[in-house]
Amino acid sequence: MKLLQERIVRDGNVKSGNVLKVDNFLNHQMDIELFNEIGKEFKRIFSDLKITKILTIEASGIGIACITAQYFKVPVVFAKKAQSINIDGEVYSTKIESFTHKKTYDVIVSKKFISPEDKVLIIDDFLANGCALAGLIDLVRSASASVEGIGIVIEKGFQNGGEMIRSMGVRLESLAIIESMNAENGSIIFRDE
Ligand code: 5GP
């Protein structure tokens, strides 16, 4: 998605440790006009799918998922991070290791909000090592629902998450795939360039 690539180049900040900071338009301040274009693009890419629910994870995925849901006209469910949980049978739970915070979270979704008939589109802001996505897929499968597709705003193609998730046979589409980036000179190269 050209508009997104241009925005990443203009406002993205390459940090050490393979972190791309995009808090000017995606992760802290949010550019809703851009989000709107992103939502429209996800709808175009996944227009062949019959989706009943969008699933994301708090916090950064929520804004993108909500705008995207307006195009699919389905509810958004966000998985909640909890430091520790009592598994009381009311929730599906999984563990996710956070790439940016280097911490492991229990992540939960209430059983009320995903059911076996659901056809789920997973939406998230970033894909790095794929831990967050693997956890979300696990939650959907625990509910015996199906993962119809995954939409990612920015995939860091030089990390192994994309390959891992695609090798599971899940349809994964990323609007911008970064082939390489350099913290020293700030350069960002996209896969299709
Ligand atoms: P993964 O589980 O794929 O390793 O990491 C995915 C999650 O980590 C995303 O939901 C995102 O919140 C965060 N993340 C991973 N890499 C980056 C990055 O380079 N920049 C930012 N801002 N967040 C990232």
Side-chain angles (χ1 to χ4, degrees):
M1 187 181 173
K2 209 71 209 152
L3 184 69
L4 176 63
Q5 287 188 353
E6 285 166 3
R7 192 61 183 271
I8 293 168
V9 169
R10 197 179 90 196
D11 289 335
N13 219 323
V14 184
K15 299 283 180 193
S16 58
N18 283 334
V19 172
L20 176 67
K21 216 160 179 226
V22 284
D23 58 357
N24 167 294
F25 62 94
L26 184 64
N27 290 138
H28 194 19
Q29 175 168 261
M30 297 183 283
D31 182 336
I32 301 305
E33 268 182 51
L34 178 67
F35 278 28
N36 213 20
E37 294 306 314
I38 287 171
K40 227 187 272 176
E41 183 63 5
F42 280 138
K43 177 64 187 169
R44 190 188 67 76
I45 292 173
F46 293 114
S47 59
D48 57 316
L49 299 181
K50 176 90 191 74
I51 299 298
T52 63
K53 216 152 264 189
I54 290 179
L55 176 67
T56 189
I57 181 164
E58 66 176 356
S60 302
I62 295 176
I64 294 282
C66 289
I67 301 280
T68 302
Q70 291 191 305
Y71 289 94
F72 285 88
K73 303 198 186 308
V74 297
V76 174
V77 177
F78 65 91
K80 295 187 172 200
K81 293 172 184 164
Q83 293 295 354
S84 66
I85 51 164
N86 292 321
I87 299 179
D88 56 7
E90 301 298 316
V91 297
Y92 298 112
S93 78
T94 192
K95 285 194 187 300
I96 292 180
E97 192 189 333
S98 158
F99 175 81
T100 36
H101 300 112
K102 311 283 178 233
K103 249 165 90 178
T104 300
Y105 296 93
D106 286 302
V107 173
I108 58 159
V109 165
S110 168
K111 287 186 177 175
K112 284 187 290 194
F113 301 128
I114 308 186
S115 50
E117 309 77 51
D118 274 322
K119 297 180 182 309
V120 178
L121 175 64
I122 295 174
I123 295 286
D124 205 3
D125 58 341
F126 266 92
L127 171 56
N129 293 324
C131 203
L133 283 187
L136 293 176
I137 292 169
D138 186 44
L139 288 175
V140 175
R141 292 186 174 165
S142 301
S144 303
S146 71
V147 178
E148 297 292 305
I150 300 176
I152 295 292
V153 180
I154 303 174
E155 174 177 343
K156 292 185 291 181
F158 52 88
Q159 293 182 255
N160 61 7
E163 205 182 315
M164 191 257 289
I165 299 294
R166 290 186 180 94
S167 73
M168 294 168 77
V170 182
R171 178 164 162 199
L172 164 64
E173 306 274 0
S174 300
L175 302 186
I177 302 183
I178 296 174
E179 193 60 54
S180 65
M181 58 188 202
N182 186 323
E184 251 134 61
N185 61 15
S187 71
I188 300 171
I189 312 272
F190 295 96
R191 186 161 285 181
D192 62 0
E193 280 182 332

Coordinates of all heavy atoms in Angstrom, one line a residue, residues 13 15 17-23 26-27 56-61 81 96-101 123-136 152 154 156 158-162 164-165 178 181, ligand 1:
N13 N 10.5 5.9 12.6 CA 11.8 6.1 13.2 C 12.4 4.7 13.5 O 11.9 4.0 14.3 CB 11.5 6.8 14.5 CG 12.6 7.9 14.8 OD1 13.8 7.6 14.4 ND2 12.2 9.0 15.4
K15 N 14.7 2.3 15.3 CA 15.4 2.2 16.6 C 16.3 1.0 16.6 O 16.1 0.1 15.8 CB 14.4 2.1 17.7 CG 13.4 3.3 17.8 CD 14.2 4.5 18.4 CE 13.3 5.7 18.5 NZ 14.0 6.9 18.8
G17 N 17.6 -2.6 17.9 CA 16.9 -3.8 18.4 C 15.7 -4.1 17.4 O 14.8 -4.8 17.9
N18 N 15.8 -3.7 16.2 CA 14.8 -4.0 15.2 C 13.4 -3.5 15.5 O 12.4 -4.1 15.1 CB 14.7 -5.5 15.0 CG 15.9 -6.1 14.2 OD1 16.4 -5.4 13.4 ND2 16.2 -7.3 14.4
V19 N 13.4 -2.3 16.1 CA 12.1 -1.7 16.4 C 11.9 -0.5 15.5 O 12.7 0.3 15.4 CB 12.0 -1.3 17.9 CG1 10.8 -0.5 18.2 CG2 12.1 -2.5 18.8
L20 N 10.7 -0.5 14.9 CA 10.3 0.7 14.1 C 9.3 1.5 14.9 O 8.2 0.9 15.3 CB 9.6 0.2 12.8 CG 9.1 1.3 11.9 CD1 10.2 2.2 11.4 CD2 8.3 0.7 10.8
K21 N 9.6 2.7 15.2 CA 8.7 3.5 16.0 C 7.8 4.3 15.0 O 8.2 5.0 14.1 CB 9.5 4.5 16.8 CG 8.8 4.7 18.1 CD 9.7 5.2 19.2 CE 8.8 5.4 20.4 NZ 8.9 6.5 21.2
V22 N 6.5 4.1 15.2 CA 5.5 4.8 14.3 C 4.4 5.4 15.2 O 3.2 5.4 14.9 CB 4.9 3.9 13.2 CG1 5.9 3.6 12.1 CG2 4.4 2.6 13.8
D23 N 4.9 6.0 16.3 CA 3.9 6.5 17.3 C 3.2 7.8 16.8 O 2.3 8.3 17.4 CB 4.4 6.6 18.7 CG 5.7 7.4 18.8 OD1 6.1 7.9 17.8 OD2 6.1 7.6 19.9
L26 N 0.4 5.7 14.2 CA -0.2 4.4 14.4 C -0.3 4.0 15.8 O -1.4 3.5 16.2 CB 0.6 3.4 13.6 CG 0.1 1.9 13.5 CD1 -1.2 1.8 12.8 CD2 1.1 1.0 12.8
N27 N 0.8 4.1 16.6 CA 0.8 3.5 17.9 C 0.5 4.4 19.1 O 0.4 3.9 20.2 CB 2.2 2.8 18.2 CG 2.4 1.6 17.3 OD1 3.4 1.4 16.8 ND2 1.3 0.8 17.2
T56 N -8.6 -8.8 17.6 CA -7.3 -8.1 17.7 C -6.8 -8.3 19.1 O -7.4 -9.0 19.9 CB -7.4 -6.7 17.2 OG1 -6.0 -6.2 17.2 CG2 -8.2 -5.8 18.2
I57 N -5.7 -7.6 19.4 CA -5.2 -7.7 20.8 C -4.9 -6.3 21.3 O -4.5 -5.4 20.5 CB -3.9 -8.6 20.8 CG1 -3.4 -8.7 22.2 CG2 -2.9 -8.1 19.8 CD1 -2.4 -9.8 22.4
E58 N -5.2 -6.1 22.6 CA -5.0 -4.7 23.1 C -3.5 -4.4 23.2 O -2.7 -5.4 23.3 CB -5.6 -4.6 24.5 CG -5.0 -5.4 25.6 CD -5.6 -5.1 27.0 OE1 -6.5 -4.2 27.1 OE2 -5.2 -5.8 27.9
A59 N -3.0 -3.2 23.0 CA -3.8 -2.0 22.8 C -3.8 -1.6 21.4 O -4.8 -1.1 20.8 CB -3.4 -0.9 23.7
S60 N -2.6 -1.7 20.8 CA -2.4 -1.0 19.5 C -3.3 -1.5 18.3 O -3.5 -0.8 17.4 CB -1.0 -1.1 19.0 OG -0.1 -0.5 20.0
G61 N -3.8 -2.7 18.4 CA -4.6 -3.3 17.3 C -6.0 -2.7 17.3 O -6.7 -2.8 16.3
K81 N -4.8 -8.6 27.8 CA -3.6 -9.0 28.5 C -3.8 -9.0 30.0 O -4.3 -8.1 30.5 CB -2.4 -8.1 28.1 CG -2.0 -8.2 26.7 CD -1.0 -7.1 26.3 CE -0.7 -7.1 24.8 NZ 0.0 -5.9 24.4
I96 N 1.4 -15.2 25.4 CA 2.0 -14.4 24.4 C 3.3 -13.7 24.9 O 3.2 -13.1 26.0 CB 1.1 -13.4 23.7 CG1 0.0 -14.1 23.0 CG2 1.8 -12.5 22.8 CD1 -1.0 -13.2 22.3
E97 N 4.4 -13.9 24.2 CA 5.6 -13.1 24.6 C 5.6 -11.9 23.8 O 5.6 -11.9 22.6 CB 6.8 -14.0 24.4 CG 8.0 -13.4 25.0 CD 9.3 -14.1 24.6 OE1 9.3 -15.3 24.2 OE2 10.4 -13.4 24.6
S98 N 5.7 -10.7 24.5 CA 5.7 -9.5 23.8 C 7.0 -9.1 23.3 O 8.1 -9.2 24.0 CB 5.3 -8.4 24.8 OG 5.7 -7.1 24.4
F99 N 7.1 -8.8 22.0 CA 8.3 -8.5 21.3 C 8.9 -7.2 21.9 O 10.1 -7.0 22.1 CB 8.1 -8.3 19.8 CG 9.3 -7.9 19.1 CD1 10.4 -8.7 18.7 CD2 9.5 -6.5 18.7 CE1 11.5 -8.3 18.1 CE2 10.7 -6.1 18.1 CZ 11.7 -7.0 17.8
T100 N 8.0 -6.2 22.1 CA 8.5 -4.8 22.5 C 8.8 -4.8 24.0 O 9.7 -4.0 24.4 CB 7.5 -3.7 22.0 OG1 6.2 -4.2 22.2 CG2 7.7 -3.3 20.6
H101 N 8.1 -5.5 24.8 CA 8.2 -5.4 26.2 C 9.0 -6.6 26.8 O 9.3 -6.6 28.0 CB 6.9 -5.3 26.9 CG 6.2 -4.0 26.5 ND1 5.0 -4.1 25.8 CD2 6.5 -2.7 26.6 CE1 4.6 -2.8 25.5 NE2 5.5 -2.0 26.0
I123 N -6.8 -9.0 13.0 CA -6.1 -7.7 12.6 C -5.1 -7.3 13.6 O -5.4 -7.3 14.8 CB -7.2 -6.6 12.4 CG1 -8.2 -6.9 11.3 CG2 -6.5 -5.2 12.2 CD1 -7.7 -6.7 9.9
D124 N -3.9 -6.9 13.2 CA -3.0 -6.4 14.2 C -2.1 -5.3 13.5 O -2.0 -5.3 12.3 CB -2.1 -7.5 14.8 CG -1.6 -7.0 16.2 OD1 -1.9 -5.9 16.7 OD2 -0.9 -7.8 16.8
D125 N -1.4 -4.5 14.3 CA -0.6 -3.4 13.7 C 0.7 -3.9 13.2 O 1.1 -3.6 12.1 CB -0.4 -2.3 14.8 CG 0.3 -2.8 16.1 OD1 0.3 -4.0 16.3 OD2 0.9 -2.0 16.8
F126 N 1.4 -4.8 14.0 CA 2.8 -5.2 13.6 C 2.9 -6.8 13.5 O 2.2 -7.4 14.3 CB 3.8 -4.7 14.6 CG 4.4 -3.4 14.2 CD1 3.9 -2.2 14.6 CD2 5.6 -3.4 13.4 CE1 4.5 -1.0 14.3 CE2 6.2 -2.2 13.1 CZ 5.6 -1.0 13.5
L127 N 3.7 -7.3 12.7 CA 4.1 -8.7 12.8 C 5.6 -8.7 12.8 O 6.3 -8.2 11.9 CB 3.6 -9.4 11.5 CG 4.1 -10.9 11.3 CD1 3.8 -11.7 12.6 CD2 3.4 -11.5 10.1
A128 N 6.1 -9.3 13.9 CA 7.6 -9.5 14.1 C 7.9 -10.9 14.1 O 8.1 -11.6 13.1 CB 8.0 -8.7 15.3
N129 N 8.0 -11.5 15.3 CA 8.3 -12.9 15.5 C 7.0 -13.8 15.4 O 7.1 -15.1 15.4 CB 9.0 -13.2 16.8 CG 10.4 -12.6 16.7 OD1 11.0 -12.6 15.6 ND2 10.9 -12.1 17.8
G130 N 5.9 -13.2 15.4 CA 4.6 -14.0 15.2 C 4.0 -14.5 16.4 O 3.0 -15.3 16.4
C131 N 4.6 -14.2 17.6 CA 4.1 -14.7 18.8 C 2.6 -14.2 19.1 O 1.8 -15.0 19.5 CB 5.0 -14.3 19.9 SG 5.0 -15.3 21.3
A132 N 2.4 -13.0 18.9 CA 1.0 -12.4 19.1 C 0.0 -13.1 18.2 O -1.0 -13.6 18.7 CB 1.0 -10.9 18.9
L133 N 0.4 -13.3 16.9 CA -0.6 -13.9 16.0 C -0.8 -15.4 16.4 O -1.9 -15.9 16.3 CB -0.1 -13.8 14.6 CG -0.3 -12.5 13.9 CD1 0.1 -12.6 12.4 CD2 -1.7 -12.0 14.0
A134 N 0.3 -16.1 16.7 CA 0.2 -17.5 17.1 C -0.8 -17.6 18.2 O -1.6 -18.5 18.3 CB 1.5 -18.1 17.4
G135 N -0.7 -16.7 19.2 CA -1.6 -16.7 20.4 C -3.1 -16.5 20.0 O -4.0 -17.1 20.4
L136 N -3.3 -15.5 19.1 CA -4.6 -15.2 18.6 C -5.2 -16.3 17.9 O -6.4 -16.7 18.0 CB -4.6 -13.9 17.8 CG -4.3 -12.6 18.6 CD1 -4.2 -11.4 17.6 CD2 -5.3 -12.3 19.7
I152 N -2.4 -7.5 8.5 CA -1.3 -6.9 9.3 C -1.0 -5.5 8.6 O -0.9 -5.5 7.4 CB -0.1 -7.7 9.4 CG1 -0.3 -9.0 10.1 CG2 1.1 -7.0 10.0 CD1 -0.6 -8.9 11.6
I154 N 1.9 -3.5 9.3 CA 3.4 -3.5 9.0 C 4.0 -4.8 9.4 O 4.0 -5.2 10.6 CB 4.1 -2.4 9.8 CG1 3.5 -1.0 9.4 CG2 5.6 -2.4 9.4 CD1 4.0 0.2 10.2
K156 N 7.5 -6.9 9.6 CA 8.9 -6.8 9.4 C 9.4 -8.2 8.8 O 9.5 -9.2 9.5 CB 9.6 -6.6 10.8 CG 9.2 -5.1 11.3 CD 9.9 -4.8 12.6 CE 9.4 -5.6 13.7 NZ 10.0 -5.3 15.0
F158 N 12.0 -9.3 7.8 CA 13.3 -9.9 8.1 C 13.3 -10.6 9.4 O 14.3 -11.2 9.8 CB 14.4 -8.8 8.1 CG 14.0 -7.6 9.0 CD1 14.3 -7.6 10.4 CD2 13.4 -6.5 8.5 CE1 13.9 -6.6 11.2 CE2 13.0 -5.5 9.3 CZ 13.3 -5.5 10.7
Q159 N 12.1 -10.6 10.1 CA 11.9 -11.5 11.2 C 11.1 -12.7 10.8 O 10.5 -12.7 9.7 CB 11.3 -10.6 12.4 CG 12.3 -9.6 12.9 CD 11.8 -8.8 14.0 OE1 11.4 -7.6 13.9 NE2 11.8 -9.3 15.2
N160 N 11.0 -13.7 11.6 CA 10.5 -14.9 11.1 C 9.0 -15.2 11.2 O 8.5 -16.2 10.8 CB 11.3 -16.1 11.6 CG 11.1 -16.2 13.2 OD1 10.4 -15.4 13.7 ND2 11.9 -17.1 13.8
G161 N 8.3 -14.2 11.8 CA 6.8 -14.4 12.0 C 6.0 -14.7 10.8 O 5.2 -15.6 10.8
G162 N 6.3 -13.9 9.7 CA 5.5 -14.1 8.5 C 5.6 -15.5 7.9 O 4.6 -16.1 7.5
M164 N 6.5 -18.2 9.6 CA 6.0 -19.1 10.5 C 4.4 -19.2 10.3 O 3.9 -20.3 10.2 CB 6.3 -18.7 11.9 CG 6.1 -19.7 13.0 SD 4.6 -19.3 14.0 CE 5.1 -17.9 14.9
I165 N 3.8 -18.1 10.2 CA 2.3 -18.1 10.2 C 1.9 -18.6 8.8 O 0.9 -19.4 8.7 CB 1.8 -16.6 10.4 CG1 2.1 -16.1 11.8 CG2 0.2 -16.6 10.2 CD1 1.5 -16.9 13.0
I178 N 8.4 -4.8 5.4 CA 9.8 -4.2 5.4 C 10.8 -5.3 5.2 O 10.8 -6.2 5.9 CB 10.0 -3.4 6.7 CG1 9.0 -2.3 6.8 CG2 11.5 -2.9 6.8 CD1 9.1 -1.5 8.2
M181 N 15.8 -2.6 7.5 CA 15.9 -1.3 8.0 C 17.1 -1.1 8.8 O 17.7 -2.1 9.3 CB 14.6 -0.9 8.8 CG 14.3 -1.8 10.0 SD 12.7 -1.4 10.7 CE 13.0 -2.1 12.4
Ligands
5GP1 P1 5.4 -10.5 17.5 O1 4.5 -11.2 18.5 O2 5.0 -10.8 16.1 O3 6.8 -10.7 17.7 O4 5.2 -9.0 17.8 C1 3.9 -8.4 17.5 C2 3.6 -7.3 18.4 O5 4.7 -6.6 19.0 C3 2.7 -6.2 17.8 O6 1.4 -6.4 18.2 C4 3.3 -4.9 18.2 O7 2.5 -4.4 19.2 C5 4.7 -5.2 18.7 N1 5.8 -4.9 17.8 C6 6.6 -5.8 17.2 N2 7.6 -5.2 16.5 C7 7.4 -3.9 16.6 C8 8.0 -2.7 16.1 O8 9.0 -2.7 15.4 N3 7.5 -1.5 16.4 C9 6.3 -1.4 17.2 N4 5.9 -0.1 17.4 N5 5.7 -2.4 17.7 C10 6.2 -3.7 17.4

